[in-house]
Amino acid sequence: MKRPEARIPRLFEMIKKAVPLIAVFIAVAYLSLTALLFIPQPEPSWAEAGKRYYYVRPDGNDSNSGTIAKPFKTIQKAVDVALAGDTIYIRAGKYRERVVLKRSGRAGKLITIRNYPGEVPVIDGAGLKWAGSHTLWGGLIDTNEKSYFKLIGLTIQNSAAFGIGRQYRSNPKESSHIVVQDCKIYNTLASGISVIYGKDIVIDNNIVDYACNTVKSNQECLSLSEVDGFAITNNIVRNGTTPPSPKGKGGEMISVKDGCKNGIVAFNTVYNFQKLGIYLDAYRGRQENIAVYRNVVYQPKPGLATGIALGSEKGGVLKKIYLHNNVVYNTQWGFVIAGWGHSGYAHPITDIFILNNTCYNINTAGILLTNPDSRNITVKNNILHGRNSWTFPLYATDGADAARVKMSHNLIQKHYSKPSKEPYYITGTDYIVTSRPKFANPPADFRLQPVSPAIKAGRTLDGEVCNIGAY
């Protein structure tokens, strides 16, 4: 048998003879591939006939036509050409640009800007500045007073002002029919998401992380102002400020303010914040018909701050507010009905219903009432559990009149009765006193054990039997 090295010359001869064939094969393959590039690629199977789609990819070219085969390079180019009813698909990759919306859609034909299915586009504003950003106005995606559009599945990070928002204008136009969904907003010096003066706004299933993270910020992490008709649902809002500026002025996490009305704040998770988890502030407007429910607001470790707060800082009216089936834990106060704000103004708050909530491991009081202008407050079917033996169920001070509170059927840590002199410690009627509500597995699971004293111990507003607490 020949040694292996004896076969090498013969192998070289075979390769030498095969080279022309290989060259022919490569040439045919090249021509075939070139031909394929000139064959129009079909739209993905989920594309609807008769609709117009544009595509953006980091290696595209803004001189292209924006098809899936010839995508644009920048999101702004696609936004510039998109018309009502069009969809912009953004492919995976990093886009170092600021995007300013140029036109609105219309009823039934929203402009959609979204991720390509299964891919993660990142809009990164690191190092970018614009007019107004020094005062924390304008968005990395600037909504520019436009309406009828959707933003879906985008990652927006490192903004010098808002993640999604607009410039300041003294006489703004109304923005309406906006959907922000499945987005991740990270590290913004002002609000992660901001809508000012709008109608029919949906903010759903987003993550807002490290927003308002500078001492210059006086905004809130997720903020609506002067909006009629809204849903803030299924969002995670966390880490309200970040070192080296842990005392940023914008410590409110979800804020609904300045005359917002006819909306819901529901199924959100809020944690790790400096001041207020969820804040409804009428400010100088008439703010009403808002339900806040099925939210979880907490500090990772027992600490300060407030779970859910109500205010009217500059003479506005806050009324018809329903706070029910929320969980608040590891904070200083569960709920606050506040009298803080601008001096020289009344702070009217009325028709407030705090029903079937669970406050757990609260430091000072389940409910703090500091508003002397508050009226008609109902506190019913709540678990008000404290981490101290002396934690108050309801603590009223600063001129607030506890006699205006109708309080009954709550599970409390300790009975107090001090009705004649401030501060007032209020217990109400038909209460249960216990330090052991018997949850399933707090803080992971606040459902009640079958032996909990809160089972069927509550009464609805209609007098029907119900459980006390959020579940």
Side-chain angles (χ1 to χ4, degrees):
M1 178 181 290
K2 294 183 179 180
R3 295 192 304 273
E5 58 268 26
R7 300 179 183 175
I8 292 176
R10 184 167 178 268
L11 180 61
F12 277 121
E13 286 297 323
M14 293 172 63
I15 293 173
K16 185 176 178 181
K17 291 179 181 179
V19 164
L21 294 175
I22 294 172
V24 170
F25 173 78
I26 292 173
V28 170
Y30 174 79
L31 291 172
S32 299
L33 180 60
T34 303
L36 283 172
L37 292 175
F38 287 96
I39 297 174
Q41 295 189 30
E43 294 284 356
S45 59
W46 34 259
E48 297 182 38
K51 288 196 173 183
R52 188 164 41 220
Y53 300 90
Y54 293 104
Y55 299 85
V56 183
R57 205 170 63 199
D59 61 349
N61 191 314
D62 283 350
S63 297
N64 285 344
S65 57
T67 63
I68 191 168
K70 294 185 177 182
F72 296 131
K73 181 177 180 62
T74 66
I75 302 166
Q76 187 64 59
K77 174 63 177 181
V79 166
D80 289 345
V81 301
L83 302 174
D86 292 351
T87 297
I88 298 168
Y89 281 105
I90 307 173
R91 305 301 300 266
K94 185 174 287 189
Y95 298 84
R96 293 293 301 276
E97 60 176 304
R98 180 177 181 236
V99 180
V100 180
L101 302 190
K102 293 298 184 182
R103 57 179 61 86
S104 299
R106 61 177 187 269
K109 288 187 173 293
L110 277 66
I111 294 175
T112 301
I113 304 170
R114 63 160 302 161
N115 66 314
Y116 189 88
E119 298 187 6
V120 181
V122 178
I123 302 170
D124 191 344
L128 298 182
K129 305 287 184 181
W130 53 84
S133 65
H134 67 289
T135 57
L136 303 180
W137 280 93
L140 192 57
I141 293 186
D142 199 296
T143 54
N144 197 26
E145 300 182 308
K146 298 300 181 278
S147 299
Y148 290 98
F149 65 84
K150 295 181 182 180
L151 302 174
I152 302 175
L154 308 176
T155 295
I156 301 158
Q157 64 187 33
N158 303 324
S159 174
F162 300 131
I164 299 169
R166 65 164 178 82
Q167 291 281 15
Y168 172 79
R169 291 178 177 86
S170 57
N171 295 299
K173 297 177 183 177
E174 183 180 79
S175 294
S176 68
H177 300 88
I178 297 170
V179 177
V180 180
Q181 189 173 45
D182 301 332
C183 292
K184 296 180 180 179
I185 299 96
Y186 174 77
N187 192 33
T188 59
L189 298 191
S191 304
I193 301 172
S194 170
V195 179
I196 301 172
Y197 191 39
K199 185 176 182 179
D200 297 331
I201 307 298
V202 175
I203 311 291
D204 179 64
N205 201 42
N206 304 283
I207 297 174
V208 178
D209 197 2
Y210 285 115
C212 297
N213 60 10
T214 172
V215 293
K216 295 180 181 179
S217 177
N218 59 0
Q219 300 290 345
E220 306 86 15
C221 297
L222 193 165
S223 179
L224 299 190
S225 178
E226 297 182 87
V227 173
D228 182 1
F230 63 88
I232 301 174
T233 53
N234 303 301
N235 302 285
I236 296 173
V237 186
R238 63 193 181 196
N239 303 320
T241 55
T242 180
S245 54
K247 296 182 180 179
K249 295 179 182 178
E252 295 93 354
M253 302 298 279
I254 296 177
S255 177
V256 176
K257 63 182 184 178
D258 209 1
C260 287
K261 55 189 176 182
N262 303 318
I264 64 171
V265 181
F267 299 98
N268 301 286
T269 301
V270 178
Y271 66 92
N272 198 20
F273 53 96
Q274 298 293 322
K275 298 176 184 175
L276 310 176
I278 298 174
Y279 186 31
L280 273 56
D281 172 25
Y283 196 65
R284 58 192 172 191
R286 185 179 181 87
Q287 185 155 316
E288 60 187 342
N289 295 328
I290 299 172
V292 178
Y293 60 93
R294 294 294 184 193
N295 301 284
V296 178
V297 182
Y298 69 97
Q299 298 287 50
K301 296 180 180 179
L304 302 179
T306 295
I308 299 174
L310 307 180
S312 177
E313 293 185 9
K314 204 174 182 180
V317 177
L318 185 70
K319 65 181 299 185
K320 296 182 181 178
I321 305 300
Y322 304 86
L323 312 176
H324 64 90
N325 298 95
N326 300 285
V327 172
V328 179
Y329 65 93
N330 286 351
T331 60
Q332 181 173 8
W333 314 96
F335 296 84
V336 171
I337 301 173
W340 59 55
H342 296 259
S343 61
Y345 291 88
H347 308 289
I349 296 177
T350 186
D351 300 335
I352 307 300
F353 299 88
I354 303 176
L355 310 171
N356 290 95
N357 301 282
T358 293
C359 294
Y360 175 77
N361 211 31
I362 302 300
N363 184 56
T364 305
I367 299 168
L368 172 65
L369 177 62
T370 65
N371 189 322
D373 302 311
S374 58
R375 304 282 190 280
N376 193 25
I377 299 167
T378 300
V379 178
K380 197 169 187 178
N381 303 326
N382 303 282
I383 294 176
L384 304 173
H385 174 276
R387 61 175 171 266
N388 302 305
S389 61
W390 47 264
T391 299
F392 305 109
L394 187 147
Y395 183 96
T397 188
D398 295 338
D401 187 353
R404 295 169 179 167
V405 178
K406 293 176 284 187
M407 188 170 180
S408 70
H409 295 89
N410 298 286
L411 188 152
I412 63 176
Q413 180 105 346
K414 184 177 180 179
H415 172 264
Y416 288 93
S417 180
K418 190 171 178 286
S420 60
K421 185 179 178 181
E422 274 196 78
Y424 303 104
Y425 311 142
I426 306 302
T427 301
T429 63
D430 299 302
Y431 51 82
I432 297 172
V433 178
T434 180
S435 61
R436 297 179 180 275
K438 296 187 178 178
F439 298 116
N441 183 28
D445 187 351
F446 284 102
R447 289 177 298 175
L448 301 173
Q449 297 180 31
V451 294
S452 169
I455 295 287
K456 296 184 178 180
R459 295 294 183 273
T460 68
L461 294 178
D462 296 327
E464 299 294 327
V465 174
C466 66
N467 292 346
I468 294 176
Y471 297 98

